[in-house]
């Protein structure tokens, strides 16, 4: 078990570093160009991967990205991700999506259903009274 872990852990670290290197924008990479970092990670697996994680990329508040890779997505101030229910822009878009007309249509449909239900109830009551009178 330990032998497998000694093989899998460095491999996973190298794969993570390689994919992270490929997905990082060029302006966030430090010290070496992106293709050189990719070669270093592949040639010097553990050392290259650790070197990338420690020194290859800008880390911290300036380098963090929000949802879908957009900096400061949703008005997060320092660049963090904001949940939709905490995002004033998203909440405003819900109010502005034209739900007023839809609500009016829903109210009209509900009134039609209620009128139809009342009519059916009255019809059933008339039938019951008619059956009682006959029996």
């Amino acid at each position: 078990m330990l032998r497998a872990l000694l093989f899998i852990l460095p491999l996973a670290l190298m794969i993570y570093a390689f994919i992270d290197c490929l997905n990082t924008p060029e302006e966030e990479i430090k010290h070496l160009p992106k293709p050189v970092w990719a070669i270093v990670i592949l040639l010097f697996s553990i050392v290259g991967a650790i070197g990338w994680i420690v020194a290859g990329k800008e880390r911290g508040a300036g380098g963090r990205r929000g949802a879908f890779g957009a900096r400061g997505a949703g008005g997060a101030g320092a660049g963090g991700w904001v949940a939709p229910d905490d995002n004033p822009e998203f909440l405003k878009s819900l109010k502005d999506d034209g739900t007023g007309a839809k609500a009016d249509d829903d109210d009209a449909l509900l009134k039609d259903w209620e009128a139809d239900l009342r009519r059916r109830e009255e019809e059933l009551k008339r039938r019951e009274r008619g059956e009682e009178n006959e029996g």
Side-chain angles (χ1 to χ4, degrees):
M1 177 72 176
L2 187 60
R3 289 180 196 167
L5 187 62
L6 290 174
F7 174 74
I8 293 173
L9 193 61
L11 181 65
L13 180 67
M14 186 179 78
I15 292 171
Y16 167 77
F18 184 69
I19 292 173
D20 189 42
C21 176
L22 294 179
N23 288 331
T24 301
E26 194 72 42
E27 63 270 3
E28 290 183 15
I29 295 178
K30 299 188 309 182
H31 306 297
L32 297 173
K34 184 190 277 192
V36 175
W37 270 116
I39 292 170
V40 167
I41 292 169
L42 291 176
L43 289 179
F44 307 104
S45 62
I46 296 174
V47 176
I50 292 173
W52 166 256
I53 292 170
V54 172
K57 175 179 173 179
E58 288 182 14
R59 308 246 188 237
R64 291 187 187 260
R65 293 183 170 268
F68 306 110
R71 287 183 184 255
W81 181 81
V82 176
D85 57 345
D86 293 334
N87 186 340
E89 294 171 10
F90 176 76
L91 295 174
K92 184 175 183 266
S93 73
L94 289 178
K95 292 178 184 173
D96 295 340
D97 70 352
T99 56
K102 184 178 177 185
D104 292 341
D105 292 343
D106 290 344
D107 288 341
L109 183 61
L110 181 61
K111 287 180 183 178
D112 289 344
W113 285 348
E114 288 174 345
D116 188 44
L117 181 62
R118 279 191 220 104
R119 182 187 55 79
R120 289 180 182 195
E121 287 176 344
E122 291 297 323
E123 186 178 310
L124 283 174
K125 286 179 184 177
R126 273 188 248 127
R127 284 186 190 169
E128 288 175 1
R129 281 187 235 141
E131 290 175 5
E132 291 174 4
N133 292 339
E134 292 176 10

